Amino acid sequence: MKAGIVGATGYGGIELFRLLNDHPHIESLTLFSSSQAGEEFENIYQQLNIGSNHILQDVEPDRMKDEFDVIFLATPAGVSSKLTPNLRGGHAKVVDLSGDLRLADPSDYTQWYKKDPAPSEVLQDAVYGLPEWNDAEISGAEVIANPGCYPTATLLGLGPVIKEQLVDPSSIIVDAKSGVSGAGKNPNPLTHFAHTQENFQIYKVNQHQHIPEIEQQLKRWDDHARPITFSTHLVPMTRGIMATIYGTLNKDQSVQDVLEVYQSYYKDQPFVRIREEGQFPCTKDVYQTNYCDIGIAVDERTNRITIVSVIDNLMKGAASQAIQNMNLLFGLEETAGLPRYPLYP
Amino acid sequence: MKAGIVGATGYGGIELFRLLNDHPHIESLTLFSSSQAGEEFENIYQQLNIGSNHILQDVEPDRMKDEFDVIFLATPAGVSSKLTPNLRGGHAKVVDLSGDLRLADPSDYTQWYKKDPAPSEVLQDAVYGLPEWNDAEISGAEVIANPGCYPTATLLGLGPVIKEQLVDPSSIIVDAKSGVSGAGKNPNPLTHFAHTQENFQIYKVNQHQHIPEIEQQLKRWDDHARPITFSTHLVPMTRGIMATIYGTLNKDQSVQDVLEVYQSYYKDQPFVRIREEGQFPCTKDVYQTNYCDIGIAVDERTNRITIVSVIDNLMKGAASQAIQNMNLLFGLEETAGLPRYPLYP
Amino acid sequence: MKAGIVGATGYGGIELFRLLNDHPHIESLTLFSSSQAGEEFENIYQQLNIGSNHILQDVEPDRMKDEFDVIFLATPAGVSSKLTPNLRGGHAKVVDLSGDLRLADPSDYTQWYKKDPAPSEVLQDAVYGLPEWNDAEISGAEVIANPGCYPTATLLGLGPVIKEQLVDPSSIIVDAKSGVSGAGKNPNPLTHFAHTQENFQIYKVNQHQHIPEIEQQLKRWDDHARPITFSTHLVPMTRGIMATIYGTLNKDQSVQDVLEVYQSYYKDQPFVRIREEGQFPCTKDVYQTNYCDIGIAVDERTNRITIVSVIDNLMKGAASQAIQNMNLLFGLEETAGLPRYPLYP
Amino acid sequence: MKAGIVGATGYGGIELFRLLNDHPHIESLTLFSSSQAGEEFENIYQQLNIGSNHILQDVEPDRMKDEFDVIFLATPAGVSSKLTPNLRGGHAKVVDLSGDLRLADPSDYTQWYKKDPAPSEVLQDAVYGLPEWNDAEISGAEVIANPGCYPTATLLGLGPVIKEQLVDPSSIIVDAKSGVSGAGKNPNPLTHFAHTQENFQIYKVNQHQHIPEIEQQLKRWDDHARPITFSTHLVPMTRGIMATIYGTLNKDQSVQDVLEVYQSYYKDQPFVRIREEGQFPCTKDVYQTNYCDIGIAVDERTNRITIVSVIDNLMKGAASQAIQNMNLLFGLEETAGLPRYPLYP
C-alpha cells in the first residue's frame, strides 16, 4: 500500500511517519507539507534520519487522490475542511486527524471552532473512527474522522454506562488532564518549559472544542444524553491523558457489577484493558501505545461512579488510532503495525 | 518568642525551620527528632547550613511544655495523638500539622486513619486552624489542629457557596491534584523519579483520609451537608495542589454574582485572592507562598459551577498556614514572617 | 532609596521586582518597559498582584537619571550599550544585568555578541560586579556590569586556584549546565516543553558569549591565563547552574590543601559556601538564593582537580547578585534583602 | 530460539522482556527472579499484561543451561559472578548485563566494585560485547559481558581518535550525564522525585566503577592509554546519557578531518550516527533506540576536541545492546528486533 501524510512535520505527522515506516503493509510513504515543501524531512528531524531521504512535497490533491491508497491529514483546524473535498472521487481513502470532519452538524463546528465548516456532503460521508464502537461503519468508509484525544479517552470510558443507561445522563462531569504535546509543536507562552515545569494549569473551562464531539457520540448511544461538564488541565509532562469521569448511578450497582459490564463490552477489543477492582491505570501504563486502560470505582456513600480512562494522546489520541482505522478500512489485522508493550520506565 | 519543632527533618519540618528562622518575632528555635536525636540538623541538610548549628533534641514533653511559647508538631500520623496530652498544662501552645487532632469524632479517626485516636478531651480542645474562617476561635486556642493540604484548598474554595447555600450539597465533586512532596520524604515506589516523571496517577479514590476532615467542616457551615466525592491525583511536580470543584447551582447565578460573593467573603483576607471572570489560577501562581488563589466558572449549559482553588501544599497546606495560625494565636500581625510574592519562573 | 527597573517583565526583571519590594532600604520602586509601556505589570503577572499597581513606564533616561538612586537594566543584549550613556551624569547609579558593559575591549563585544559595543568611556567606567573579588571597586562605582550567570559560577569556582597559580592555566575546561530559564521568557523551539522535557542538550560549543567575560577576569587574576574550553548544556529544569571545572595541578596537592585555600579566600564571604572533602553541592542546594556552593575533588591518578560550582542562575547569576552589588554601592549591609535559606524540596 | 531473563523485574529486565517478545527469532521467553519467584510478572507490571502470563521462575542454573539458547542476566553486581560458572558447559549462551564479567583483571573488580570477582576462567572466556568494535570476537563467544551504559557512550565516542592516536591519551576528560533510571528501580533518597526534580547533581567524582572498564578498552586500542578523568551527573529525566568528552589534539586537525575519520570508522555500523559539522545530538535523538549519536567540535583557540556522544542508557546502554549482541552471537541480522526510529516528542 502507498500512503501519504499531509502535515508531516507536526507532532501527529511524525508519529504517523514512525508508525507507517514500520507497518508491515505499507510499501511507500510520501510526506507533504504546504509550509515546508521542498525541504528534507530528515533535515528538520535529524534524529529520524536512518539513511533514507524524504523531500516534503507540495499538496496537490488532484494528483494525490489517485496516487495513494490512503492519505492521512495531520493538519491544523481549518485545513482538511477545504482539502478533503478535493481528495474525494479518486482511489485514495482519507483519514483526517483534525477536528474538521468530526461534527455532523456544521453549525456546531462554526460555534466551537470559530471557522467555516466543511461542506455538508463531506461531513455526511465522514465516519467517526472510534473503532471499538464503530468498526462496521469504518470498514466501509471512504473518509474517516479520527477522534480527538480527549473524546477518545472520555468516550471509551463512558460507552458501556451510557449504552446500558447505568448513569444519570445529566450528572456527567469529565475532569480531563493532558500532557503538553496536545498543544502542538508551535512554541507559545503556555508551553514554555520555564512556565509549565513544576506547574499545573487549567484551561478552556467548559469551552474546549472537544465538548460537542463527545456529546454528539453520547447522543448516538442514548438520545437522553445531556450536556456534560468538561474541564481540561495541562500536566507538566509531554504525553498522556487521564480523564477522570464522574456520574450518578441510576440504581445500586457494585463495582463488580459495573466491571463485568465493561469486560463484556470490551472483551474482543485488543486495545482496551479493564483493571481489576481497586486498581487504576496511570498514564505511563499506556505510554507510546494504542491502549486505553480503564479503572472503575463505585462510592456507596454518594452513589457515584468514578471512571478513570488513560491514553497516550499522540497515539490512541491521534496517530496510532489513525493506523488502527486504516487497518480496518483495508481489512488488515486490527493490530497490524501497532506496538504491543508500553515503554517503561 | 521561643519555638520548637518536633519532626524537624521531614518536609513540613524544614519549611517551618526556614520560615521561623526569618520570622520577626521568633528569637530562638529548637529542633526535635525522636529518630535522629543527637545528629546535627545542618549535617542532614547541608544546604540549610548558614553557620549556625542545630543539634536535634530528644522529645521530652515535660520539659518542653514550659520551655517554649509554641511547639509545632510536624510528625507522621499517630504521633501527636500521643504526644499532645503530655504537652498540655504548661506554658506552651501547640500547633499540630498532622491529621491527629483534626477530627472531632474519634471514631472518624479510627475509621479513616486506621490508628488509635487522641483522647477525647484533647480533640475537644483542639481548634481547627483555618484562619480565613476560624480566626476568632484560633486566637483563644491552646492547641491548633492545622488543616490538611487538600482540605485547605477545598474548603477555601467551597466556603462561600456552602455558607450561602448556593450549591446543592449532594452534588459536590472534588477532583484534586497534588505534587509529589505531599507524600513525604521517605522514598517509595510511587515517588521514585523514574516512575513518577512523565506520568499522571490517581490514588486513594474515595478513600483519602482528608475526606472526613472536609465533610466535618462543610457540616459546620451547613448542616445539610452531605458526603462528597473526592479523588486525588499525583502530578509530576514537587509542590502545588489544585482542587477542581464541581457543584450544581441551586438557582440561576451569573459568574459575576458568584464572584461578588467570594470577593465579599474574602475581602479582608490577605491570603485569599479571587481571579476575575474568565481567569483561573495555576499552581505556580502560589508557589512558595501562603496564598490560596481561586477562579470561578459557571456553565449555563449544565447549571454547574466550577471552582478552581490552588495552594502550595507545603506552605498554605502545611508550614506557612501553621505560622499564620501562630501569628493569630499570639496576637501578631497575621502576615508576619510570610512571603508576599511567589517565585517565578 | 528609590529604585527603577528597566525591562521589568523579563525573568531577571521580575526577580528584581520581588526582591526589591521586600528590600529594607527600598522605599519606592518604578518599573519601565519600552515594549509594554502603559500596561499594568500586575495584569501581565497576576500572581504578583498583592494589591498594589505598577504601570509600566516609558524609558526616558533624562528624567530617570535624577529621579532615582539606582536603576537596574534587565534588558536584552544591545539595549544598555545605548541606554547607559544617557543615564550618566545625574544622581542615579546604574546596575546593568546584560552583557553590554562587561567586556572592557569593545572588539571582544563585537566579535562575540555580533552587535555594536557601548562607547569606550562607558566601558571604562563600568566596574565588573563580582562582589567576592571586587568589592573595593564596586563600592566606589557609578556603573556596575553585573556578571553573567555562567561566569559567576565559573569565576567563583576558579578564583582561588588561579590567583594561587595552583593550576596550569592552559588546562582549564569548563563543562557548564544550566536550567532553561537562562534562555529567557520568549518562547522558542529549544525551550518548548515537549522538546526539552526528558531531554539533555548541548549548545553553543566553544561559542558562548560568556567565554570572553570569563577569560578577561582570569587574565586580571593571572596574566598567564590562556583561552579556556567551555561547553554549555541545557538541563530539563527551570533554575540552576552547575559548572564542573577541570584543571591540571601544577604540583602535588591534597584535596585538603586545596580546600584550605578556598576556605581562606572565602572565609568572610557570606554567599560562598565550601563543602567538606567528599561532599559536592547540587543545584537545589542554592535554589532561590544568592549562594555559590563549591565542592572540590583531587584525582591522584591524573593529577587533576575537579571544581564543582553551583548557583541559581536567576539569583546569584542575575537578580540577587545585582542587589548584592547595590548593597555594596550604597554602603548597606551586603546581605540586606537577600534570602538566607534555599527552598527545599 | 528460546530465551530466559534472570532479574526480569528490574529496569534492564523489563526492557529485555519488551524487546524479546517482539523479536522475530524468539519463540519462547521465560522469566526468572530469585527474590520474586512464584509471582506473576504481569501482576507486578500490569501495564505489560497483554493477555499472556509469565510466572517468575526460580533460578536453577543446572536445568537452565540446557533448556535455553540464550540466557540474559539482568542482575545487580555480585550475582552473575557466582551464577555464570554454573550456566556454562551446556547449550545456552550467556549475555550478562551487569559489570561482573567486564573487567579482565579480577583485582580491578575487587577494587572498584568492593565485591569478590568472578573466577578467572570465566573472566577470560567472557567477550566484551561492544559490537561496533568487537563483532568478530562476539560472534564466536559463549559468554558476553554487555558493556556498561557510561562506557558504551564514552568508548563509541573515543574509539576513532584513540585508534588513530589523534588525541593525547593523558588529556582525556569525560563529563558524563545520565537520567535517573540508571540508578535502578529500588527507591532511595537520591531518586526521590521531590529531591531530584528541578535539581542537577554530581556523584561518584573520579570513583565510578565504570572507569576501569573504559580504561581497559582504551588500553586495548592503544597501549599508551592513560587514566582518564571521569565525572558522573544525575539529570532530572528518566532515560538518556550524554558523554561530553574533551581531549587535546596531537596535531592540527580541522573538524572536517576528524568527522571524516569518524564517518569512515562507523560507515557500516547501523547504530552509530555521526552529525555534520556544527550539529550536536541531544539525548532525545536516541530515545528508546539502540543508536549512539555523535557530534564533534574542534576549538582552534585551545587545540582541543569536544566529542558529544549520546545513548539511551536502558537501550544501547543495556537491553538493546544485549539484543544486538545476541543477534551477532547467533548469526542473525544485527538489527533484528531493534527499533529503527526514536520516539519524539
Side-chain angles (χ1 to χ4, degrees):
Chain A
M1 282 169 50
K2 299 176 74 171
I5 305 171
V6 182
T9 63
Y11 285 163
I14 61 174
E15 277 293 57
L16 286 170
F17 173 84
R18 183 174 70 89
L19 293 167
L20 289 170
N21 263 300
D22 284 338
H23 195 286
H25 298 284
I26 297 297
E27 71 180 15
S28 95
L29 181 61
T30 307
L31 309 183
F32 297 87
S33 168
S34 49
S35 61
Q36 297 180 284
E39 289 190 51
E40 188 180 328
F41 180 75
E42 283 86 355
N43 247 358
I44 302 171
Y45 291 111
Q46 298 201 14
Q47 74 270 32
L48 299 179
N49 189 342
I50 60 166
S52 53
N53 296 63
H54 293 83
I55 304 298
L56 293 163
Q57 308 289 316
D58 245 330
V59 182
E60 298 171 30
D62 283 349
R63 188 169 64 77
M64 292 160 70
K65 70 184 174 191
D66 286 319
E67 197 175 319
F68 295 98
D69 297 289
V70 59
I71 297 171
F72 294 91
L73 306 181
T75 45
V79 174
S80 58
S81 57
K82 298 192 186 68
L83 184 57
T84 309
N86 302 321
L87 288 169
R88 302 303 316 284
H91 172 70
K93 300 197 172 191
V94 172
V95 180
D96 178 29
L97 281 77
S98 85
D100 281 15
L101 311 181
R102 295 179 199 149
L103 302 178
D105 182 341
S107 68
D108 282 346
Y109 184 82
T110 310
Q111 180 190 339
W112 290 88
Y113 284 82
K114 320 285 184 208
K115 288 175 188 282
D116 291 336
S120 291
E121 63 274 19
V122 172
L123 294 178
Q124 278 152 27
D125 258 24
V127 168
Y128 190 63
L130 192 64
E132 286 74 15
W133 288 90
N134 231 7
D135 54 346
E137 275 189 87
I138 291 167
S139 57
E142 297 295 318
V143 176
I144 297 287
N146 204 56
C149 50
Y150 287 122
T152 297
T154 303
L155 292 169
L156 291 175
L158 274 171
V161 287
I162 297 299
K163 284 288 279 189
E164 295 293 311
Q165 300 189 322
L166 298 179
V167 159
D168 171 1
S170 74
S171 73
I172 294 169
I173 294 175
V174 181
D175 189 284
K177 303 90 174 171
S178 174
V180 176
S181 62
K185 96 169 186 185
N186 286 333
N188 68 60
L190 209 72
T191 61
H192 191 297
F193 185 91
H195 177 74
T196 299
Q197 172 74 344
E198 190 66 14
N199 201 358
F200 187 83
Q201 304 174 71
I202 190 169
Y203 69 105
K204 289 194 185 175
V205 183
N206 298 320
Q207 297 181 341
H208 200 285
Q209 69 276 12
H210 286 168
I211 292 174
E213 181 181 339
I214 295 167
E215 293 177 350
Q216 166 183 276
Q217 182 63 35
L218 295 182
K219 266 226 145 43
R220 287 172 184 168
W221 282 331
D222 176 6
D223 56 18
H224 301 91
R226 297 278 308 280
I228 61 169
T229 289
F230 185 78
S231 299
T232 46
H233 303 77
L234 203 56
V235 184
M237 63 184 186
T238 298
R239 284 167 182 254
I241 281 179
M242 180 183 285
T244 315
I245 305 167
Y246 303 94
T248 303
L249 289 167
N250 281 328
K251 55 170 187 170
D252 270 9
Q253 297 271 338
S254 74
V255 65
Q256 275 304 342
D257 295 339
V258 180
L259 283 170
E260 276 167 31
V261 172
Y262 276 74
Q263 278 148 359
S264 157
Y265 264 87
Y266 289 126
K267 68 176 184 299
D268 297 325
Q269 297 301 338
F271 292 116
V272 176
R273 304 189 296 188
I274 309 300
R275 285 287 187 290
E276 289 175 19
E277 180 178 353
Q279 304 287 335
F280 298 91
C282 58
T283 62
K284 220 173 206 176
D285 286 353
V286 296
Y287 188 76
Q288 179 231 11
T289 71
N290 195 49
Y291 294 114
C292 176
D293 283 9
I294 295 172
I296 308 275
V298 168
D299 186 17
E300 293 171 8
R301 300 167 68 247
T302 58
N303 199 32
R304 278 204 196 89
I305 190 173
T306 303
I307 305 161
V308 180
S309 173
V310 300
I311 60 166
D312 181 324
N313 60 303
L314 293 178
M315 292 287 286
K316 182 65 175 170
S320 69
Q321 183 155 260
I323 307 284
Q324 185 184 4
N325 275 311
M326 178 192 80
N327 289 343
L328 294 173
L329 273 176
F330 291 89
L332 311 173
E333 198 178 1
E334 189 170 354
T335 58
L338 296 171
R340 301 195 302 160
Y341 291 103
L343 193 68
Y344 185 86
Chain B
M1 281 168 52
K2 298 177 74 171
I5 305 171
V6 181
T9 62
Y11 286 162
I14 60 174
E15 277 294 57
L16 285 169
F17 174 84
R18 183 174 70 90
L19 293 167
L20 289 170
N21 262 301
D22 284 338
H23 194 284
H25 298 284
I26 298 297
E27 70 180 16
S28 96
L29 181 62
T30 308
L31 309 184
F32 297 87
S33 167
S34 49
S35 61
Q36 298 180 284
E39 290 188 49
E40 187 181 328
F41 180 75
E42 284 85 356
N43 246 358
I44 302 171
Y45 291 110
Q46 299 200 13
Q47 74 271 31
L48 299 178
N49 189 343
I50 61 166
S52 52
N53 296 65
H54 294 81
I55 305 298
L56 292 164
Q57 309 290 314
D58 245 329
V59 182
E60 299 172 26
D62 282 350
R63 189 170 62 78
M64 292 160 69
K65 69 185 176 191
D66 286 318
E67 196 175 320
F68 294 97
D69 297 290
V70 59
I71 297 171
F72 294 90
L73 306 180
T75 44
V79 173
S80 59
S81 58
K82 300 191 185 67
L83 184 57
T84 309
N86 302 322
L87 289 170
R88 303 302 317 283
H91 172 70
K93 300 198 173 191
V94 173
V95 180
D96 177 29
L97 282 76
S98 85
D100 281 15
L101 311 181
R102 295 178 199 149
L103 302 178
D105 182 341
S107 68
D108 281 347
Y109 184 82
T110 310
Q111 180 190 340
W112 291 88
Y113 284 81
K114 319 286 184 207
K115 288 175 189 282
D116 291 337
S120 290
E121 62 273 20
V122 173
L123 294 179
Q124 276 152 28
D125 258 25
V127 169
Y128 191 62
L130 191 64
E132 286 74 15
W133 288 91
N134 231 7
D135 54 346
E137 275 189 87
I138 291 167
S139 58
E142 297 296 318
V143 176
I144 297 287
N146 204 56
C149 51
Y150 286 123
T152 297
T154 302
L155 292 169
L156 291 174
L158 275 171
V161 287
I162 296 299
K163 284 289 276 188
E164 294 294 312
Q165 300 187 322
L166 297 179
V167 159
D168 171 0
S170 74
S171 73
I172 294 169
I173 293 174
V174 181
D175 188 283
K177 301 92 174 171
S178 175
V180 176
S181 62
K185 96 168 185 185
N186 286 333
N188 68 60
L190 210 72
T191 61
H192 190 298
F193 185 90
H195 177 75
T196 299
Q197 173 75 345
E198 190 66 15
N199 201 358
F200 187 83
Q201 304 173 71
I202 190 169
Y203 68 105
K204 289 194 187 176
V205 183
N206 298 320
Q207 297 182 339
H208 200 285
Q209 69 275 14
H210 286 169
I211 291 174
E213 181 181 340
I214 295 167
E215 292 177 351
Q216 166 182 277
Q217 182 62 35
L218 295 182
K219 267 226 144 44
R220 288 174 182 165
W221 282 331
D222 176 4
D223 55 20
H224 302 91
R226 297 277 308 282
I228 61 168
T229 289
F230 186 77
S231 299
T232 45
H233 304 77
L234 202 57
V235 184
M237 63 185 187
T238 297
R239 284 166 182 255
I241 280 179
M242 179 182 285
T244 314
I245 305 167
Y246 303 94
T248 303
L249 289 167
N250 281 326
K251 56 170 186 170
D252 271 9
Q253 297 271 337
S254 76
V255 66
Q256 275 304 342
D257 296 339
V258 181
L259 283 171
E260 276 166 31
V261 172
Y262 277 74
Q263 277 146 1
S264 157
Y265 265 87
Y266 289 126
K267 69 176 183 300
D268 298 326
Q269 297 302 337
F271 293 116
V272 176
R273 306 190 294 189
I274 310 299
R275 287 286 188 290
E276 289 174 19
E277 180 179 353
Q279 304 287 335
F280 299 90
C282 57
T283 61
K284 221 173 206 175
D285 285 353
V286 297
Y287 188 76
Q288 179 230 12
T289 71
N290 195 48
Y291 293 114
C292 176
D293 284 8
I294 295 172
I296 308 275
V298 168
D299 186 16
E300 294 171 7
R301 300 166 69 247
T302 59
N303 198 34
R304 279 205 196 90
I305 191 173
T306 304
I307 305 162
V308 180
S309 174
V310 299
I311 61 166
D312 181 323
N313 59 303
L314 294 178
M315 292 289 284
K316 182 65 174 170
S320 69
Q321 183 154 261
I323 307 284
Q324 185 184 5
N325 275 311
M326 177 192 81
N327 289 341
L328 294 174
L329 273 176
F330 291 88
L332 311 174
E333 198 178 0
E334 189 171 353
T335 58
L338 295 172
R340 300 194 302 159
Y341 291 103
L343 193 68
Y344 185 87
Chain C
M1 282 168 49
K2 299 178 72 170
I5 304 172
V6 181
T9 62
Y11 285 162
I14 60 174
E15 276 293 58
L16 285 169
F17 174 85
R18 184 174 69 90
L19 293 167
L20 289 169
N21 262 302
D22 284 338
H23 194 284
H25 298 283
I26 298 296
E27 72 179 14
S28 96
L29 181 61
T30 308
L31 308 184
F32 297 88
S33 167
S34 49
S35 61
Q36 297 180 284
E39 290 189 51
E40 188 181 326
F41 179 76
E42 283 86 356
N43 246 357
I44 302 171
Y45 291 110
Q46 298 199 14
Q47 76 269 33
L48 299 177
N49 190 343
I50 61 167
S52 53
N53 296 66
H54 294 83
I55 304 297
L56 292 164
Q57 308 290 314
D58 245 329
V59 182
E60 299 171 28
D62 283 350
R63 189 170 63 78
M64 293 160 69
K65 70 184 175 191
D66 286 317
E67 196 175 319
F68 294 97
D69 297 290
V70 59
I71 298 171
F72 293 90
L73 306 181
T75 44
V79 173
S80 59
S81 57
K82 299 191 186 65
L83 184 57
T84 310
N86 302 322
L87 289 169
R88 304 301 317 285
H91 172 70
K93 300 197 174 193
V94 172
V95 180
D96 177 30
L97 281 77
S98 85
D100 281 16
L101 310 182
R102 294 179 199 149
L103 302 178
D105 181 342
S107 69
D108 281 347
Y109 184 82
T110 311
Q111 180 190 338
W112 291 87
Y113 284 81
K114 320 286 183 206
K115 287 175 187 283
D116 291 336
S120 290
E121 62 274 18
V122 173
L123 294 179
Q124 278 151 29
D125 258 26
V127 169
Y128 191 63
L130 191 64
E132 286 75 13
W133 289 91
N134 232 7
D135 54 346
E137 275 189 87
I138 290 167
S139 58
E142 295 296 317
V143 176
I144 297 286
N146 203 56
C149 51
Y150 286 123
T152 297
T154 303
L155 291 169
L156 291 174
L158 274 171
V161 286
I162 297 297
K163 284 288 277 190
E164 294 294 310
Q165 300 188 322
L166 297 179
V167 158
D168 171 2
S170 73
S171 73
I172 295 168
I173 294 175
V174 181
D175 190 284
K177 302 90 176 172
S178 175
V180 176
S181 62
K185 96 168 183 182
N186 286 333
N188 68 61
L190 209 73
T191 60
H192 190 297
F193 185 90
H195 177 74
T196 299
Q197 172 74 344
E198 190 64 17
N199 201 358
F200 187 83
Q201 305 174 70
I202 189 169
Y203 68 105
K204 288 195 184 174
V205 183
N206 300 319
Q207 296 182 339
H208 199 284
Q209 69 276 12
H210 285 169
I211 292 174
E213 181 182 339
I214 295 167
E215 292 177 350
Q216 167 182 278
Q217 183 62 34
L218 295 182
K219 266 227 144 43
R220 286 172 184 166
W221 282 331
D222 176 5
D223 55 19
H224 302 90
R226 296 279 306 282
I228 60 168
T229 289
F230 185 78
S231 298
T232 45
H233 304 77
L234 204 56
V235 184
M237 63 184 187
T238 297
R239 284 165 181 254
I241 281 180
M242 180 182 286
T244 314
I245 305 168
Y246 303 94
T248 303
L249 289 167
N250 281 327
K251 55 170 186 170
D252 271 9
Q253 296 271 337
S254 74
V255 66
Q256 275 304 344
D257 295 338
V258 180
L259 283 171
E260 277 168 30
V261 172
Y262 276 74
Q263 277 147 0
S264 157
Y265 264 87
Y266 289 126
K267 69 176 183 300
D268 297 325
Q269 297 302 337
F271 292 116
V272 177
R273 305 190 294 188
I274 310 299
R275 286 286 187 290
E276 288 174 20
E277 181 179 350
Q279 304 286 336
F280 299 90
C282 58
T283 61
K284 219 171 208 178
D285 285 353
V286 297
Y287 188 76
Q288 179 230 13
T289 71
N290 196 48
Y291 294 114
C292 176
D293 284 8
I294 296 173
I296 308 276
V298 168
D299 186 17
E300 294 172 5
R301 301 167 69 248
T302 59
N303 198 34
R304 278 204 197 89
I305 191 173
T306 303
I307 306 161
V308 179
S309 175
V310 300
I311 61 167
D312 182 322
N313 59 304
L314 293 178
M315 292 288 284
K316 181 66 174 170
S320 70
Q321 183 154 260
I323 308 284
Q324 185 184 4
N325 275 311
M326 178 193 80
N327 289 343
L328 293 174
L329 273 176
F330 291 89
L332 310 173
E333 198 177 0
E334 189 170 353
T335 57
L338 295 171
R340 300 196 302 161
Y341 292 102
L343 193 69
Y344 185 86
Chain D
M1 281 168 52
K2 300 177 73 170
I5 305 173
V6 181
T9 62
Y11 286 162
I14 60 175
E15 278 293 57
L16 286 170
F17 174 84
R18 185 175 68 90
L19 293 167
L20 289 170
N21 263 301
D22 284 339
H23 194 286
H25 298 283
I26 299 296
E27 70 180 17
S28 96
L29 181 62
T30 308
L31 309 183
F32 297 87
S33 167
S34 48
S35 61
Q36 297 179 285
E39 289 189 51
E40 187 180 329
F41 180 76
E42 283 85 357
N43 247 358
I44 303 171
Y45 291 111
Q46 299 198 15
Q47 74 270 32
L48 300 178
N49 190 343
I50 61 167
S52 52
N53 295 66
H54 294 82
I55 304 299
L56 291 164
Q57 308 290 316
D58 245 330
V59 182
E60 299 172 27
D62 283 349
R63 189 170 63 78
M64 292 161 67
K65 70 184 176 191
D66 286 318
E67 197 175 319
F68 295 97
D69 297 290
V70 59
I71 297 170
F72 294 90
L73 306 180
T75 44
V79 173
S80 58
S81 58
K82 297 191 188 67
L83 184 57
T84 309
N86 302 322
L87 289 169
R88 303 304 315 285
H91 172 70
K93 300 197 173 192
V94 172
V95 181
D96 177 29
L97 282 77
S98 85
D100 281 15
L101 310 182
R102 295 179 198 148
L103 301 178
D105 182 341
S107 68
D108 281 348
Y109 184 82
T110 310
Q111 180 189 339
W112 291 87
Y113 283 82
K114 320 286 183 207
K115 287 174 188 284
D116 291 335
S120 290
E121 63 274 18
V122 173
L123 294 179
Q124 277 153 27
D125 257 25
V127 169
Y128 191 63
L130 192 65
E132 285 74 15
W133 289 91
N134 231 6
D135 53 347
E137 275 188 86
I138 292 167
S139 58
E142 296 297 317
V143 175
I144 297 287
N146 203 55
C149 51
Y150 286 124
T152 297
T154 303
L155 292 170
L156 292 175
L158 275 172
V161 287
I162 297 299
K163 285 288 278 190
E164 295 293 311
Q165 299 188 323
L166 296 179
V167 159
D168 172 0
S170 73
S171 73
I172 294 169
I173 293 174
V174 180
D175 190 283
K177 302 91 175 172
S178 176
V180 176
S181 62
K185 96 169 184 182
N186 286 333
N188 68 60
L190 208 73
T191 60
H192 190 297
F193 186 90
H195 176 75
T196 298
Q197 172 74 344
E198 190 66 15
N199 200 359
F200 187 83
Q201 306 174 70
I202 189 169
Y203 69 105
K204 289 195 185 174
V205 183
N206 299 319
Q207 297 181 339
H208 200 285
Q209 69 276 14
H210 286 170
I211 293 174
E213 181 181 339
I214 295 168
E215 292 177 351
Q216 166 181 278
Q217 182 63 34
L218 295 182
K219 267 226 145 43
R220 287 172 182 166
W221 281 331
D222 176 4
D223 56 19
H224 302 90
R226 297 280 306 282
I228 60 168
T229 290
F230 186 77
S231 298
T232 45
H233 304 77
L234 204 55
V235 184
M237 63 184 186
T238 297
R239 284 166 181 254
I241 281 180
M242 179 181 286
T244 315
I245 305 167
Y246 303 94
T248 303
L249 289 168
N250 281 327
K251 56 171 186 171
D252 271 10
Q253 296 270 338
S254 75
V255 66
Q256 276 305 342
D257 295 339
V258 180
L259 284 171
E260 276 168 30
V261 171
Y262 276 75
Q263 278 147 358
S264 158
Y265 265 88
Y266 289 125
K267 69 175 184 301
D268 297 325
Q269 298 301 337
F271 292 116
V272 177
R273 304 189 295 188
I274 310 299
R275 285 288 187 290
E276 289 175 18
E277 181 178 353
Q279 304 286 336
F280 299 90
C282 58
T283 61
K284 221 173 205 176
D285 286 353
V286 297
Y287 188 74
Q288 180 231 10
T289 71
N290 195 49
Y291 294 114
C292 176
D293 284 7
I294 296 172
I296 308 275
V298 168
D299 186 15
E300 294 172 5
R301 299 166 70 249
T302 58
N303 198 35
R304 278 204 198 91
I305 191 173
T306 304
I307 305 162
V308 180
S309 174
V310 300
I311 61 167
D312 181 322
N313 58 304
L314 293 179
M315 292 288 284
K316 182 65 176 171
S320 69
Q321 182 155 260
I323 307 284
Q324 186 184 4
N325 276 310
M326 178 192 80
N327 289 342
L328 294 173
L329 273 176
F330 291 89
L332 311 174
E333 199 177 0
E334 189 170 354
T335 58
L338 296 170
R340 300 195 303 160
Y341 291 103
L343 193 68
Y344 185 86

